[in-house]
Structures are given as C-alpha cells and as structure tokens.
Amino acid sequence: MGLHGLNHYTIRPVDLEATKDFYEKILGLELGYRPPLTFPGYWLYCGDNPTVHLIGDRQGEEGLPERKVGHTGLVDHIAFSCTGLAAMRAHLDKHKVTYTARVIPRDRQTQIFLHDPNGVAVELNYPPEETPPD
C-alpha cells in the first residue's frame, strides 16, 4: 500500500462562485466534467486530473459531514508544481492579486504564496531554471 500522488482536495467555500473564479481565472485550472451530483459544485482540472473539487450546500443529504468551522481541521496550504513563473507573476499583478515570493536557497526553486477567497494558502512551485539570477 503506497501513496502515488494527490487525487483531489475538496473545499466547501463560503462563496462558491468567487472560489471557482479564483482557481479558474487566477490559477489557470480548467473547469471540467463533474458527475450529476445532487448538490452544487465544480471540478477544476490540472491537466487530466480533477484536482480541486468545490462543493456547495449539501443540505438535506444524510451521512455527510456538517459544515462546521474547524470540523475537518486546519488546511495550512495547498501546493502545485508549476512552470511559467514570469507569466504567472504578470498575471497576478494584472489582476491585483497579493502574493509573496521567495527563492529556496541552494536549489533556487521559486515559490509564490497567495490566498484563495476563503483564506486557504496556495503555494506555486517553479523550477530553478525559471528563477531569475541574483
């Protein structure tokens, strides 16, 4: 038994549409197929993988967790492997998205940190060859 990679993570946002727009328009994930479930939501794809699941109100469904603050613990951050550092910085600046960036010492990987509309931290990791020289 082993873990082989991230399948997906699910967020129950306060504002479903704003959260969808963030992951689609700001991070560039693609809105894709979602089974005809009985509650509103979206699946956002990273390549062929529906990585981010957003779910709306599931009121009336039995056997599902209630929406309580802290019910599932704290999500510290979600990280993606990325390419296109310069283009993403320009894109974030264009949309006036606040972010911080740092270069990891020794391996020169660049990390960008920002927050989705729910306050979930998102980390974008870019390869060393995209990090500008000092």
Side-chain angles (χ1 to χ4, degrees), residues 42-118:
Y42 298 102
W43 283 10
L44 294 134
Y45 285 68
C46 186
D48 293 333
N49 188 27
T51 307
V52 179
H53 294 190
L54 303 178
I55 58 175
D57 186 14
R58 297 192 296 184
Q59 191 172 21
E61 289 200 29
E62 294 182 24
L64 296 172
E66 292 180 41
R67 183 180 186 143
K68 292 182 181 177
V69 175
H71 181 71
T72 59
L74 173 68
V75 174
D76 182 74
H77 72 278
I78 299 156
F80 292 92
S81 297
C82 307
T83 57
L85 174 62
M88 178 56 83
R89 281 187 163 173
H91 181 70
L92 294 174
D93 291 342
K94 175 183 172 188
H95 289 278
K96 297 180 174 59
V97 174
T98 302
Y99 66 92
T100 59
R102 72 175 181 178
V103 176
I104 302 298
R106 216 173 16 192
D107 77 359
R108 305 278 305 141
Q109 174 179 250
T110 297
Q111 296 178 317
I112 290 179
F113 297 93
L114 58 153
H115 290 87
D116 81 1
N118 306 287

